[in-house]
């Protein structure tokens, strides 16, 4: 059965309203869904919906439990299918590019754009990336968010920390590498970190990294000035939790690429890492190892119901902890911090693997949960009400596959799919090898809804109608299948490609790259696409979006040379015991 597009119940308030009410059921699928249609002008008297599809599906049917029992009973015999083992996870990534992988990459290449077309797209991408460079005192320090001169700049003429990451990776992965701009960016943002950060009468923590900064040019480059945004001018006035994590991850990629240990050992750099980590590891009232966040604190920077413990932030947090653990000096002053990092890595990986993981077996378990359990023997530890499971999950979840859900907190599970968190969990080894394999299985089996005509859905499914009103506050930008509400973002191609290579599935990445190369350059490198399958250019998307360009380049560079993956991938950290060789054992035996 093709997955339906009914939106999830996200948030405790929404759950409370729906409990005890008769839920409407979506109709059964009768075949291939109708093709997308670009949105027609909306009358001024009606709220903007931003839809890029046919009329909404009519809803109706039986009570929720009865319908779910039929679905689960029909597939119950296959609920415990074993997960496939992943071939590349746990192996040495330095030797990843072997004969078998090269053969996989070469196979089936006839469907890709012709070499001449692909080369032309790559050449244009590099030219536009170079043109986006921002200079401060005559040195490149970052890239513009977008270079769309047909629209008002707003904040798209600033250098965003998260946006620069794929640009920096592209410069590091190219042959020969161009690490200068990455080094300058790392040091410049570190300098901005030390600024006083104030919103009204409240001062932010020392470790907060800026969301973005802008260079104010003068006639003499020596007198250029900087203006930074720590969330004080952002939509909703939310500080960027992810900026510091991305900075640490990029620092590790730079060190891995260049071997420049002198940069990471600078007292300024060591102090910057510690300030970021101290913000996250401070003692509080938390009962979970996950990081509590406000809505709009990451790439999804508008109200989208991700408040609490979003998977994107948890995966970034884990990734940054492991990178910092490899780069921090093990001296007396860092000993206590390193011990806290080690404990948090262990606790966070256990928590996410156990409580965020959802496959068919776990879905069946949650569906059968009892509520109001007390004591340490409780199975339903978060008191999740089974009736709050959205209907679409039962059709979306394949028998072979799984994923990390969007959020877990008391009495609330956000079952939506978020690509960034799942791919980062694979790259950082936050998930087990068999879970990584299951995530890729799900992407391949739900290709039509998660990839569609233009990769990739940032979240699935989209919020609609009442959920859209309650969760987003009727946000006119996050309408159905648009922007962060189920929009398609080509920049995410580099994350998918990295996850595909790590799990031994380069062909899946090549298939996505093929889709991108058909349209992306012709469409003017847009920021995002709208519609159920990503057919239409986003209604408010900027053209010549820099991270769209650099995300494509990074994906191509990794497919052409999979050994580039070592810059952005980590294996599981294990405590190694010193092994004793046979000659040593013989010498240790008493004579």
């Amino acid at each position: 059965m093709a997955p339906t597009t009914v939106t999830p119940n996200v948030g405790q308030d929404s759950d409370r309203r729906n409990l005890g009410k008769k839920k409407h059921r979506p109709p059964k699928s009768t075949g291939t869904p109708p093709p997308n249609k670009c949105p027609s002008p909306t009358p001024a008297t009606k709220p903007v919906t931003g839809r890029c599809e046919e009329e909404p599906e009519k809803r109706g049917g039986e009570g929720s439990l009865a319908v779910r029992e039929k679905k689960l009973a029909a597939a119950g015999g296959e609920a415990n299918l074993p997960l496939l083992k992943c071939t590349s996870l746990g192996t040495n990534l330095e030797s990843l590019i072997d004969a078998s992988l090269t053969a996989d990459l070469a196979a089936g290449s006839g469907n890709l754009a012709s070499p001449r077309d692909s080369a032309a797209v790559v050449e244009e991408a590099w030219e536009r990336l170079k043109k986006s460079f921002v200079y401060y005192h005559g040195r490149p320090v970052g890239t513009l968010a977008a270079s769309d001169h047909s629209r008002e700049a707003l904040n798209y003429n600033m250098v965003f920390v998260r946006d620069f990451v794929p640009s920096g990776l592209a410069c590091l992965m190219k042959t020969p590498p161009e690490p200068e701009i990455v080094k300058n960016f790392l040091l410049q943002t570190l300098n901005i970190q030390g600024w006083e950060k104030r919103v009204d009468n409240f001062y932010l923590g020392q470790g907060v990294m800026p969301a973005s900064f802008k260079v104010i040019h003068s006639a003499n480059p020596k007198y250029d000035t900087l203006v930074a945004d720590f969330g004080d001018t952002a939509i909703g006035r939310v500080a960027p939790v992810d900026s510091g994590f991305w900075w640490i991850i990029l620092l590790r990629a730079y060190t891995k690429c260049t071997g420049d240990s002198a940069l990471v050992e600078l007292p300024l750099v060591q102090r910057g890492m510690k300030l970021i980590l101290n913000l996250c590891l401070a003692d509080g009232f938390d009962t979970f190892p996950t990081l509590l966040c406000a809505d709009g604190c990451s790439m999804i920077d508008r109200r989208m119901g991700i408040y609490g413990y979003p998977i994107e932030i948890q995966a970034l947090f884990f990734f940054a902890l492991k990178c910092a653990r490899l780069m921090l000096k093990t001296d007396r002053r860092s000993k206590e911090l390193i011990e806290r990092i080690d404990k948090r890595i262990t606790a966070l990986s256990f928590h996410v693997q156990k409580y965020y993981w959802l496959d068919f077996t776990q879905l069946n378990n949650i569906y059968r949960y009892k509520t109001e359990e007390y004591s340490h023997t409780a199975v339903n530890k978060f008191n999740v009400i089974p009736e709050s499971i959205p209907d679409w999950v039962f059709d979306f979840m394949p028998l072979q596959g799984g994923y990390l859900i969007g959020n877990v907190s008391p009495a609330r599970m956000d079952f939506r799919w978020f690509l960034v968190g799942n791919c980062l969990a694979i790259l950082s080894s936050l998930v087990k090898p068999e879970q990584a394999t299951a995530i890729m299985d799900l992407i391949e089996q739900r290709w039509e809804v998660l990839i569609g005509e233009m990769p990739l859905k940032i979240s699935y499914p989209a919020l609609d109608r009442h959920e859209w009103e309650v969760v987003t506050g009727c946000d006119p930008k996050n309408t159905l299948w648009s922007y962060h509400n189920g929009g398609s973002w080509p920049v995410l191609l580099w994350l998918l490609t990295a996850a595909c290579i790590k799990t031994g599935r380069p062909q899946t990445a090549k298939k996505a790259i093929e889709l991108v190369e058909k349209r992306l350059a012709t469409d003017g490198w847009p920021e995002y696409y709208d519609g159920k399958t990503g057919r239409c250019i986003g209604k408010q998307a900027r053209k010549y979006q820099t991270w769209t360009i650099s995300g494509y380049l990074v994906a191509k560079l990794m497919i052409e040379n999979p050994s580039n993956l070592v810059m952005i991938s980590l294996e599981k950290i294990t405590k190694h015991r010193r092994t004793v060789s046979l000659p040593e054992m013989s010498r240790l035996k008493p004579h």
Side-chain angles (χ1 to χ4, degrees):
M1 179 183 290
T4 61
T5 58
V6 181
T7 55
N9 296 324
V10 183
Q12 299 176 35
D13 294 338
S14 179
D15 288 344
R16 275 198 296 270
R17 278 190 292 272
N18 291 326
L19 287 177
K21 294 183 181 180
K22 184 177 179 180
K23 289 189 177 182
H24 296 293
R25 305 264 74 80
K28 294 184 178 180
S29 174
T30 57
T32 305
N36 285 7
K37 292 185 179 180
C38 293
S40 56
T42 306
T45 56
K46 294 184 180 181
V48 179
T49 63
R51 301 163 197 255
C52 194
E53 70 223 9
E54 293 285 355
E55 289 296 316
E57 299 175 1
K58 295 181 181 179
R59 305 181 185 184
E62 307 172 37
S64 60
L65 290 178
V67 172
R68 294 171 188 174
E69 286 172 355
K70 291 179 181 179
K71 292 178 181 177
L72 291 168
E78 300 177 305
N80 295 311
L81 288 175
L83 295 175
L84 297 175
K85 289 291 182 182
C86 173
T87 56
S88 66
L89 284 172
T91 61
N92 183 2
L93 288 174
E94 300 285 358
S95 58
L96 184 61
I97 181 167
D98 55 16
S100 60
L101 184 57
T102 304
D104 287 340
L105 289 170
S109 59
N111 293 328
L112 291 171
S114 67
R116 179 178 299 175
D117 293 340
S118 179
V121 174
V122 170
E123 183 179 359
E124 179 188 338
W126 279 116
E127 289 177 0
R128 294 196 176 278
L129 180 59
K130 289 285 187 181
K131 290 179 180 179
S132 72
F133 280 17
V134 174
Y135 292 83
Y136 179 62
H137 292 170
R139 297 178 296 110
V141 294
T143 51
L144 293 173
S147 301
D148 188 350
H149 302 297
S150 66
R151 306 185 66 177
E152 185 183 356
L154 297 178
N155 62 347
Y156 284 85
N157 60 357
M158 301 184 77
V159 178
F160 282 81
V161 172
R162 79 174 67 91
D163 291 34
F164 178 75
V165 171
S167 298
L169 291 174
C171 293
L172 294 174
M173 291 180 182
K174 71 175 300 187
T175 305
E178 296 181 1
E180 179 192 5
I181 187 173
V182 180
K183 182 177 182 179
N184 294 340
F185 170 84
L186 292 169
L187 292 174
Q188 191 57 59
T189 48
L190 197 59
N191 178 55
I192 296 174
Q193 182 194 40
W195 292 6
E196 182 181 271
K197 299 172 277 285
R198 177 177 174 178
V199 179
D200 294 332
N201 293 320
F202 183 75
Y203 292 88
L204 280 68
Q206 278 186 299
V208 175
M209 278 287 188
S212 60
F213 65 88
K214 181 179 179 180
V215 178
I216 308 298
H217 294 286
S218 63
N220 188 339
K222 292 182 180 180
Y223 300 104
D224 289 348
T225 56
L226 291 176
V227 177
D229 173 26
F230 293 95
D232 49 311
T233 61
I235 296 173
R237 301 299 187 267
V238 180
V241 176
D242 63 336
S243 288
F245 299 150
W246 280 121
W247 185 89
I248 292 175
I249 293 167
L250 185 60
L251 175 63
R252 190 259 178 185
Y254 170 86
T255 306
K256 191 74 176 177
C257 171
T258 64
D260 182 8
S261 59
L263 176 66
V264 77
E265 291 176 0
L266 288 175
L268 179 68
V269 175
Q270 290 285 312
R271 180 177 182 272
M273 280 193 290
K274 291 177 182 178
L275 288 175
I276 295 170
L277 297 173
N278 283 332
L279 274 178
C280 309
L281 298 173
D283 293 333
F285 292 96
D286 302 299
T287 54
F288 315 126
T290 42
L291 201 60
L292 182 63
C293 304
D295 223 338
C297 66
S298 59
M299 179 181 174
I300 298 179
D301 57 0
R302 301 169 73 93
R303 182 175 163 188
M304 269 294 292
I306 66 167
Y307 62 89
Y309 306 90
I311 185 58
E312 178 179 339
I313 292 297
Q314 312 317 319
L316 277 170
F317 182 30
F318 183 82
F319 207 155
L321 286 174
K322 291 181 69 175
C323 288
R325 181 65 178 84
L326 297 170
M327 294 185 293
L328 283 171
K329 290 183 178 180
T330 54
D331 53 23
R332 179 178 55 84
R333 289 175 295 182
S334 302
K335 182 180 178 181
E336 181 183 353
L337 177 61
I338 290 174
E339 289 177 353
R340 290 160 63 196
I341 290 173
D342 288 339
K343 291 179 180 178
R344 195 60 165 262
I345 286 174
T346 301
L348 185 58
S349 60
F350 173 83
H351 185 88
V352 171
Q353 291 171 11
K354 183 173 179 64
Y355 300 117
Y356 280 71
W357 182 250
L358 188 72
D359 55 16
F360 190 86
T361 301
Q362 181 62 7
L363 176 61
N364 203 347
N365 292 338
I366 297 172
Y367 164 75
R368 294 168 54 84
Y369 269 170
K370 296 179 181 179
T371 59
E372 308 300 328
E373 292 182 300
Y374 296 90
S375 81
H376 296 289
T377 61
V379 176
N380 186 1
K381 295 182 183 295
F382 296 93
N383 198 35
V384 176
I385 311 299
E387 282 284 349
S388 70
I389 303 175
D391 303 318
W392 63 267
V393 178
F394 294 92
D395 291 324
F396 178 71
M397 179 61 69
L399 295 181
Q400 189 74 47
Y403 66 103
L404 299 174
I405 64 175
N407 216 315
V408 177
S409 58
R412 179 193 177 211
M413 297 182 83
D414 182 353
F415 290 90
R416 285 178 294 175
W417 155 269
F418 292 91
L419 182 132
V420 176
N422 277 271
C423 285
L424 286 172
I426 293 175
L427 295 178
S428 63
S429 295
L430 173 57
V431 290
K432 300 174 183 177
E434 57 268 28
Q435 290 176 331
T437 299
I439 291 172
M440 298 309 301
D441 287 341
L442 180 134
I443 291 174
E444 292 177 350
Q445 294 186 54
R446 296 295 177 257
W447 184 271
E448 294 301 321
V449 295
L450 298 181
I451 310 297
E453 297 183 38
M454 177 57 69
L456 300 138
K457 288 293 178 195
I458 188 173
S459 63
Y460 180 86
L463 302 171
D464 190 16
R465 300 178 181 177
H466 181 64
E467 272 94 16
W468 171 74
E469 294 173 356
V470 172
V471 175
T472 74
C474 300
D475 187 351
K477 195 168 185 177
N478 273 326
T479 49
L480 184 67
W481 303 116
S482 182
Y483 203 55
H484 295 140
N485 187 19
S488 299
W489 291 71
V491 61
L492 303 179
L493 184 65
W494 77 270
L495 283 170
L496 176 68
T497 301
C500 287
I501 294 173
K502 184 167 183 178
T503 53
R505 305 191 187 193
Q507 282 290 47
T508 301
K510 289 190 73 176
K511 186 178 176 182
I513 293 173
E514 171 193 350
L515 290 174
V516 165
E517 288 183 328
K518 287 179 179 179
R519 289 188 54 187
L520 203 56
T522 305
D523 290 344
W525 306 95
E527 180 182 12
Y528 64 95
Y529 285 75
D530 284 354
K532 200 171 183 180
T533 61
R535 177 172 294 180
C536 302
I537 297 174
K539 58 184 177 181
Q540 296 188 41
R542 298 303 175 102
K543 297 288 188 71
Y544 307 110
Q545 187 82 10
T546 303
W547 71 351
T548 297
I549 296 167
S550 57
Y552 165 73
L553 288 173
V554 173
K556 290 287 287 187
L557 289 165
M558 285 191 290
I559 279 293
E560 293 168 0
N561 183 7
S563 63
N564 281 323
L565 182 65
V566 298
M567 298 184 204
I568 52 171
S569 178
L570 295 171
E571 296 307 308
K572 184 176 180 180
I573 296 177
T574 57
K575 295 182 178 179
H576 299 285
R577 293 183 178 180
R578 180 176 178 269
T579 57
V580 182
S581 63
L582 290 176
E584 288 179 310
M585 291 180 66
S586 63
R587 287 197 298 269
L588 291 173
K589 290 180 180 179
H591 295 288

